[in-house]
Amino acid sequence: MLVSKDENLKTSSVYVASLILKQIQKQKVNKISIFEVSKELRKHNISRYRHLFFGLAFLYSSGIIDFKDPFIYIKSKND
């Protein structure tokens, strides 16, 4: 189950993941610093590392992103 009925939708992993992808898309780059992501999420009142972690884990397990410290990369279709 991606979203539980008992969970706040604004802190769900799917919602946080969408905010991360929107931030990357807004900057028009293929990579973003984890610090920039954290700063952007704070604007949406998401300040706990747990929500950031589960959002990133969702994107990684879906095969959308990859990591190279301290950057988050959008995976290309060839990867």
Side-chain angles (χ1 to χ4, degrees):
M1 179 182 306
L2 291 176
V3 179
S4 170
K5 66 178 179 77
D6 299 326
E7 181 181 15
N8 181 0
L9 187 60
K10 297 290 184 177
T11 57
S12 70
S13 61
V14 177
Y15 180 74
V16 172
S18 73
L19 292 176
I20 294 168
L21 290 176
K22 284 180 186 177
Q23 178 64 19
I24 295 171
Q25 184 180 29
K26 185 169 73 171
Q27 291 189 357
K28 297 180 178 149
V29 294
N30 289 339
K31 68 178 181 177
I32 190 168
S33 164
I34 196 160
F35 304 112
E36 294 174 81
V37 171
S38 177
K39 184 177 177 181
E40 179 67 22
L41 292 179
R42 275 190 245 124
K43 293 178 185 176
H44 296 277
N45 295 323
I46 300 170
S47 58
R48 297 183 185 255
Y49 76 91
R50 182 177 191 270
H51 305 299
L52 172 62
F53 174 78
F54 283 122
L56 291 172
F58 174 74
L59 291 172
Y60 182 76
S61 66
S62 299
I64 298 172
I65 64 168
D66 203 1
F67 301 100
K68 285 189 182 175
D69 296 333
F71 294 103
I72 301 163
Y73 287 86
I74 297 291
K75 290 179 87 173
S76 67
K77 293 181 182 184
N78 298 331
D79 291 345

